[in-house]
Amino acid sequence: MHAFHEVLKSFFSPQSFRASLPDVWAGFQVNLKMMVVAELLVLALALGIAIVRGLPGRGAAPFRGFAIVYTDVFRGTPLILVAFLVGFGLPGLQLHGISTRSNFFYGVTALTLVYTAYVTEVYRAGIES
């Protein structure tokens, strides 16, 4: 019975809820901003990749191949893994021009990479139908 009260005190405390609400709200606002920026990028990039996947002819074959590989790889890779690769990999490369302290940039990049692949397939299916 003592453990139950500890769980109630730790996880369902109205005082803790009120104290943490401003931080949760600030995080939610960042989440919404990331979603809007990533969604705009996803819609534009996915349409471009879907169009490239449908290009006819031998000259477009390398571009189609790249689009297919990109779509298959990022649809098959979990978002959390891509977020780790982007969040730890890009700063480790020390590339010039990329803000190494912007978690917002890394989050938007990971979301855009993964969801562009999914939306590309939706666009492609619509174009082909």
Side-chain angles (χ1 to χ4, degrees):
M1 191 68 168
H2 178 68
F4 179 71
H5 290 294
E6 287 297 318
V7 169
L8 283 177
K9 187 173 126 184
S10 297
F11 293 103
F12 299 105
S13 166
Q15 294 84 11
S16 296
F17 178 78
R18 271 191 240 87
S20 64
L21 193 58
D23 292 334
V24 171
W25 178 247
F28 182 69
Q29 288 175 326
V30 171
N31 195 7
L32 287 176
K33 290 174 189 172
M34 286 177 65
M35 180 196 71
V36 168
V37 172
E39 186 63 28
L40 292 173
L41 291 170
V42 165
L43 291 175
L45 294 172
L47 182 60
I49 293 171
I51 290 170
V52 167
R53 280 194 73 172
L55 291 176
R58 289 178 32 192
F63 299 110
R64 277 194 316 269
F66 174 76
I68 290 168
V69 168
Y70 170 81
T71 303
D72 289 347
V73 166
F74 281 103
R75 280 185 65 214
T77 307
L79 175 60
I80 190 71
L81 184 59
V82 174
F84 278 125
L85 289 173
V86 168
F88 293 119
L90 285 180
L93 292 175
Q94 297 178 353
L95 299 173
H96 297 289
I98 294 179
S99 174
T100 58
R101 299 193 191 267
S102 175
N103 292 331
F104 187 87
F105 172 79
Y106 297 139
V108 168
T109 301
L111 289 170
T112 302
L113 286 172
V114 171
Y115 288 109
T116 295
Y118 284 102
V119 176
T120 294
E121 285 297 296
V122 172
Y123 281 154
R124 184 186 62 81
I127 290 169
E128 287 182 1
S129 70

